[in-house]
Each structure stands twice: as C-alpha cells, then as structure tokens.
Amino acid sequence: MNVLELSEQEIIRRNSLNELRAMGIDPYPAAEYVTNAFSTDIKDQFKDEAEPRQVSVAGRIMSRRVMGKASFVELQDSKGRIQIYITRDDICPGEDKELYNTVFKRLLDLGDFVGIEGFVFRTQMGEISVHARKLTVLAKSIKPIPIVKHKDGQAFDSFEDPELRYRQRYVDLIVNDGVKETFLKRAAVVRTMRAVLDEAGYTEVETPILQPIAGGASARPFITHHNALDVDLYLRIATELYLKRLIVGGFEGVYEIGKNFRNEGMDKSHNPEFTCLELYVRYKDYNWMMAFTEKLLERICVAVNGSAETTVDGKTISFKAPYRRLPILEAIQEKTGYDLNGKSEEEIRQVCQALKMEDIDDSMGKGKLIDEIFGQFCEGTYIQPTFIIDYPVEMSPLTKTHRAKPGLTERFELMVNGKELANAYSELNDPIDQEERFKEQMRLADKGDDEAMIIDQDFLRALQYGMPPTSGIGIGIDRLVMLMTGQTTIQEVLFFPQMRPEKTVKKDPVSAYTELGVGPDWVPVLQKAGYCTVADMKEVNPQKLHQDICGINKKYKLELTNPSVNDVTEWINKIK
C-alpha cells in the first residue's frame, strides 16, 4: 500500500510493527496462547479473603494510564473488560527493561491484543484487577479504533453513524456496548426454537438454495446462471415446496432454519436475504399450528428475556398465550367499514378507489387487492400478537380451502408490533386443486404480476403420490429477534446487512496527469493533497499547489525532487 494512502496514525502503527519485528518480537505469533479465565468470571468469583488466584487472560487494550514505572490497562475479552496493573519490574524482572520501556510504553497501541499472566487482587480504589507478571504480544492493530471520550457527561468521537456501524460491524462490536448482547440474544432465539422443535420429535433438514423454479411464496427472485448445466437458477424465496416433498416421502415433521432471498426493496423491516424457519407436520391443521406457535414464542421470550414480555419502542408486548384470532375480512371491515365478503375483483377495485389507494394497477388480481387494503389500513394496527385468519383463496395458492367457509382458506398470519411475523396454512394436498391454483398464478403473471408463482411440475408430481393432511408455518427469524431484543430496524439484528456500494472519491488515471507534464511519482502526491482530478487543479494558485505538494513530500519523507513554481504553472496552463 502506498504510504500516501495511510493516515498519520496508521503510519506510526506500521513503524511500530516494524520495530517489534526488528526486536525479535513476532507481532502475530502462531503459537496457542492458553487462557484460563474471562473478565466477568474473575470479577464474579473474586473473594477478598481467598488466596490470590493465578490467571492467564487475553484481550484487546481499550485504554491505559502510564505513570512512570507502573501503568493501568483496561483489557477487553469476549465477555467484558477488566483492569490490568502492570509494573516495569514485574514484567521485566532482569536487567533488560525493554519490554516495558519500549514495547509496552511506546510500541503497543490501543486496539492491540496482549496476553497477561498474573494474579487477581483488589486495588486501593476497590476495583478487582489482575496484577501482571508476564505480558505477551498477540496481535498488532495497524488501524486505530474509535475511542469514545467522555467529558462533563457528554460522549465525544462515538461510533454512532448507522452507515459506518453496519458496514464495519467488527468496529461496532468492539466499541459499542450492547451490540454483542443483541446477537447473543439472537443465538438464544434460534437455540431455543431448535430445542422446542427437536423435543417435539421433528427432523431438521437442508434443502437446495439454488432452485430451478422460485416457488413456495409470491416474491421476485434473484436469478443466476449455472455454467456447467447452462441453465438459469433462482436463489430460493422459500423452502416450502421441498419440505413438503419430504412429508410426501414419509417424515412425520421436518423443519429448516435457513436463508431465503428476495430481490425486493430494503427498509427497516426488509433485507434481501433473511433467515426463516419453516416447519411442516403431518396430520395437523392450522388450528393446531396456532396453539403450537403460541407455546413456541412464549418459551422463546422467556428464554431470552426472563419473562413472556418484551419492550419495543416503548411498547410492552406480551407473548403469553393465547393470542387473539381475527378473520382477515372482518379485520378489513373493522378498520375500513367495507365488507368484502363475496365481492368480485372489480367491486374490490372500486373499494380501493373509494379508499383513495394510489398503488393499485391493472396487474393486481383479487387476492393482491385485498392484500393491499389489509397492508395499508390494518396490518400496522396490531401491536399485541394477533392471528389474522381465513384468507380468501385468491391470496393463498398453496392453502387448503376452508372446511366451513366457501371462498376462504385455512391460513393465518401472525401480526406483532404492526408487522407480519409468521405465515401458516392447513396445507393444500389435493394435486388437481393445486394445479388449478398454479394455473391461476400463471394467468396473473401474464397480466404483469412479477411476484406470481410459476408452476412446479415436480412438486405436482410429488402431490400425486399422496401427501397426508399437513400443517406448515414460516416464521421470520430476523423480525422475531427484533421483537425479542427491542430493536426497531432489521439492520440492528443482522451482523452484515445488505448495504449500498461504498462511496469512493473519483480519481483521474495517472495518464491524465502525465499529459500535463506531471511525473508519475507526483500523481499520488497531488491526489493526497486533494487534487484527485486534473480539473481540481485548474483554478488553483500555482504557488499554493506548489506549497501543498512540497509539504507532503517533506512530511512523508518521500525524497522526491521538488518541481519549481514554474513547472506547476505549466501543468495548470495545459489543463483544457
């Protein structure tokens, strides 16, 4: 890397790196460093009356106070932070004091990893600390980490910009308290969910991510190309159709916790790739699945938060069973005053016009229109867990028709905090009915609905072999974690959310400068000075430009031969 691309701090740290190596100290040793304690455990288990505990700890230097021959360091390990007391004569018992005087005091920086061997004690100020007997360099940080400074109750230089936090999650985890806790809770959500499903006797499976048909949901897929087979494939939008094949094949219950991909918008509750649980169980229906879901979510909430309640954006949400069950058409009538029972597509379109809905077009069928009405007027109003049930058949191409309500299906969506959390059915297992539903989806696709399903002939063939009565559910893991951790944006519960491309400064190629007579070695200097394109030089005073680049040559000890002011003037005059 060109030295001009580095900050002053980065240059100093790289020089320190080279000095460590020159002293015979490997800044990135390969050998195992054995630890026997974590910061939190040391504090929790400390007893003043006990014999001093001998410990070996390791972590990142987050702060330090050097006071001549003694120093205090705050060390951050994977569980928390602990104070380390270091004295020159303790870590350098012989005549050679370089480890303290040179390595520790001058060549180590905030962010570096060190190993400490010593004993635990309580300082005169009452803080449980480790008295160091031995210090080992474990990894040198050549990029400075943001350090939050506090003065008069205010924080300065904090790492709070969401764009930076999500793009550089590794830094976010280092410096911002509470971020790691969110992801530990996420792990607890998944762990508890898996435990409940395993205890119930269901089998965790894996199904293809690359699929020849994007099925199992209504969504726009990502498309890729398989060179060896010379075919286009889709990143899956759902696992549903493959899991149902396994029910056909003889499994009692199967589930998958994995990534789905949808080539759609990004906002506070949507990411193009997201984690989803899908579960399918033989001989069950959507009523059984509602009861099972209530128990599952209550247990998860208790495991993560210690009670069946969680708080999101100041709202207390209770996952204590049972939850309200409300038919979707009743919900729409409740919120809009319009009864859509038995209405045709054209009549519903007229309702949309009466409601002054703007995002309605001719490609939308009856199901899509109802979905738009519910989404705009109803969905956001359900804060406490609410099962919205009995969807029209046009909205549910994979769902069994309702046993008692013509034109409806045995489907529910679970709404929590104004968003869909789960979608479930009594699964359609009539192969002839399923084929007709797929054909209707294709008719919608012909009208321009790019989210309509494609006919999956192999899935139809599987159904023709016979699928027993089955209930299935999909639960969005990311949204569930948002609820359990009190986060209001999906980006806060994804380690690495999808981001727009990082902005870079436009720079002209070297040839654009050399055409002006600039030597190639001076191009990085000009760009370091802020003249990233030749146009940036056009209106500049030649003496200022000369001063800028000669100052950089001196500061970075580049040892280039400085041009004259006349040379610089000629460069500028040649710019068209």
Side-chain angles (χ1 to χ4, degrees):
M1 180 177 281
N2 191 310
V3 68
L4 295 178
E5 297 177 26
L6 302 174
S7 67
E8 187 172 346
Q9 268 290 318
E10 288 172 311
I11 292 171
I12 291 171
R13 285 174 179 243
R14 286 175 186 242
N15 289 338
S16 297
L17 182 79
N18 294 332
E19 281 194 58
L20 286 170
R21 286 187 168 128
M23 294 175 66
I25 297 173
D26 185 352
Y28 306 106
E32 175 189 11
Y33 186 83
V34 179
T35 62
N36 62 14
F38 289 104
S39 56
T40 51
D41 302 331
I42 290 172
K43 294 175 182 177
D44 292 342
Q45 297 167 13
F46 179 79
K47 291 185 175 63
D48 287 292
E49 65 277 8
E51 285 292 315
R53 178 184 174 186
Q54 303 298 313
V55 296
S56 175
V57 296
R60 190 188 292 272
I61 298 174
M62 297 302 291
S63 68
R64 64 178 180 178
R65 289 175 289 135
V66 178
M67 301 171 290
K69 298 178 183 179
S71 301
F72 286 98
V73 166
E74 186 179 41
L75 201 70
Q76 178 175 284
D77 62 18
S78 60
K79 291 192 175 182
R81 299 187 183 190
I82 192 163
Q83 181 171 268
I84 309 295
Y85 176 63
I86 300 175
T87 69
R88 185 192 68 182
D89 294 337
D90 280 328
I91 66 169
C92 305
E95 293 296 319
D96 183 1
K97 307 296 183 183
E98 287 294 287
L99 181 61
Y100 183 84
N101 292 337
T102 302
V103 176
F104 172 74
K105 289 177 68 175
R106 190 167 63 80
L107 301 182
L108 290 185
D109 296 289
L110 301 186
D112 291 351
F113 279 89
V114 295
I116 299 291
E117 295 178 41
F119 63 89
V120 184
F121 75 112
R122 189 188 295 276
T123 67
Q124 291 181 346
M125 299 299 293
E127 184 166 355
I128 298 168
S129 308
V130 176
H131 188 131
R133 294 294 193 189
K134 184 178 179 181
L135 180 147
T136 304
V137 178
L138 296 179
K140 179 72 183 159
S141 169
I142 60 173
K143 203 169 188 69
I145 60 173
I147 298 297
V148 182
K149 304 177 183 68
H150 297 274
K151 184 177 181 181
D152 300 329
Q154 285 188 301
F156 298 89
D157 300 328
S158 47
F159 193 70
E160 292 181 342
D161 182 351
E163 174 84 8
L164 283 176
R165 289 183 52 235
Y166 304 152
R167 198 179 296 282
Q168 300 179 32
R169 182 66 83 186
Y170 37 89
V171 179
D172 188 31
L173 287 162
I174 293 168
V175 302
N176 286 327
D177 294 336
V179 176
K180 184 183 287 186
E181 183 64 26
T182 294
F183 290 99
L184 291 174
K185 285 187 174 183
R186 181 186 178 110
V189 167
V190 175
R191 185 168 58 247
T192 306
M193 177 176 284
R194 186 171 273 123
V196 172
L197 298 173
D198 289 346
E199 288 168 13
Y202 307 138
T203 304
E204 183 172 10
V205 298
E206 294 177 299
T207 60
I209 289 176
L210 293 175
Q211 301 182 353
I213 292 174
S218 297
R220 184 182 299 139
F222 288 92
I223 305 174
T224 188
H225 188 77
H226 191 295
N227 291 333
L229 296 177
D230 193 24
V231 294
D232 285 341
L233 294 172
Y234 302 91
L235 272 67
R236 71 183 180 200
I237 58 176
T239 57
E240 177 169 345
L241 301 187
Y242 282 92
L243 292 173
K244 286 181 182 178
R245 286 168 167 91
L246 299 180
I247 294 295
V248 171
F251 280 88
E252 185 72 17
V254 291
Y255 74 92
E256 183 168 8
I257 299 173
K259 293 282 191 182
N260 291 339
F261 307 85
R262 297 184 183 178
N263 196 358
E264 299 170 342
M266 297 187 298
D267 57 32
K268 288 185 175 183
S269 57
H270 294 88
N271 194 63
E273 60 174 299
F274 59 97
T275 305
C276 190
L277 160 77
E278 288 204 40
L279 165 70
Y280 295 85
V281 187
R282 284 180 161 202
Y283 314 124
K284 308 299 184 185
D285 66 5
Y286 80 140
N287 292 310
W288 175 90
M289 188 61 80
M290 278 187 265
F292 183 84
T293 302
E294 289 170 339
K295 288 182 248 181
L296 172 67
L297 296 181
E298 182 176 346
R299 179 163 163 187
I300 289 172
C301 193
V302 170
V304 174
N305 295 311
S307 77
E309 292 186 347
T310 183
T311 302
V312 182
D313 201 20
K315 295 168 285 192
T316 299
I317 297 171
S318 173
F319 282 97
K320 183 74 175 171
Y323 309 155
R324 184 187 183 193
R325 304 182 184 191
L326 178 65
I328 186 171
L329 296 184
E330 288 184 24
I332 289 173
Q333 185 173 7
E334 188 179 273
K335 300 297 181 182
T336 69
Y338 288 94
D339 183 0
L340 302 186
N341 267 298
K343 282 194 166 43
S344 67
E345 179 181 320
E346 185 53 38
E347 288 173 324
I348 294 174
R349 195 176 298 278
Q350 290 172 7
V351 169
C352 292
Q353 293 170 355
L355 292 170
K356 298 180 180 179
M357 297 174 65
E358 297 178 355
D359 299 327
I360 302 301
D361 59 58
D362 293 339
S363 72
M364 294 180 177
K366 182 177 177 180
K368 198 74 175 285
L369 293 171
I370 294 172
D371 194 31
E372 289 292 323
I373 295 171
F374 180 81
Q376 187 166 329
F377 295 97
C378 307
E379 183 174 333
T381 67
Y382 301 109
I383 304 304
Q384 298 303 321
T386 304
F387 289 119
I388 303 298
I389 64 173
D390 300 347
Y391 282 65
V393 67
E394 294 84 358
M395 296 179 69
S396 313
L398 297 168
T399 311
K400 189 184 286 289
T401 54
H402 200 285
R403 69 195 75 173
K405 299 177 182 178
L408 302 181
T409 60
E410 297 196 348
R411 173 186 175 189
F412 73 78
E413 289 187 326
L414 176 60
M415 301 294 165
V416 187
N417 197 34
K419 293 291 180 184
E420 175 198 340
L421 177 62
N423 188 18
Y425 319 142
S426 294
E427 299 295 335
L428 179 59
N429 60 343
D430 179 340
I432 296 173
D433 189 1
Q434 180 65 84
E435 185 172 9
E436 287 303 313
R437 305 272 195 98
F438 275 147
K439 287 178 179 177
E440 176 58 29
Q441 287 287 299
M442 294 306 293
R443 283 191 283 272
L444 290 174
D446 291 340
K447 288 176 63 176
D449 186 347
D450 58 5
E451 293 185 349
M453 292 188 193
I454 302 171
I455 296 177
D456 188 334
Q457 295 292 352
D458 181 68
F459 174 66
L460 289 176
R461 179 168 56 196
L463 286 187
Q464 289 166 12
Y465 281 99
M467 185 175 84
T470 298
S471 184
I473 189 169
I475 298 177
I477 301 295
D478 307 316
R479 289 189 184 178
L480 178 58
V481 174
M482 288 170 62
L483 291 166
M484 295 301 168
T485 59
Q487 300 295 339
T488 56
T489 62
I490 196 170
Q491 290 80 11
E492 292 290 349
V493 301
L494 300 173
F495 272 126
F496 304 106
Q498 190 64 46
M499 305 291 292
R500 297 186 185 279
E502 198 166 357
K503 292 180 181 178
T504 56
V505 177
K506 180 189 173 186
K507 293 183 179 181
D508 277 346
V510 173
S511 59
Y513 294 87
T514 56
E515 287 175 2
L516 307 177
V518 179
D521 290 343
W522 281 96
V523 175
V525 180
L526 282 164
Q527 293 182 337
K528 178 70 174 179
Y531 307 104
C532 296
T533 67
V534 294
D536 294 334
M537 301 162 54
K538 190 171 184 180
E539 305 296 332
V540 179
N541 183 300
Q543 289 187 328
K544 179 183 184 308
L545 196 154
H546 179 266
Q547 185 177 14
D548 288 344
I549 62 176
C550 291
I552 289 173
N553 185 26
K554 180 179 180 182
K555 177 179 178 179
Y556 289 91
K557 301 177 183 178
L558 302 177
E559 299 182 354
L560 299 175
T561 301
N562 288 330
S564 66
V565 175
N566 287 337
D567 291 332
V568 173
T569 303
E570 288 184 18
W571 299 346
I572 295 173
N573 290 338
K574 288 180 182 178
I575 299 173
K576 296 178 182 178

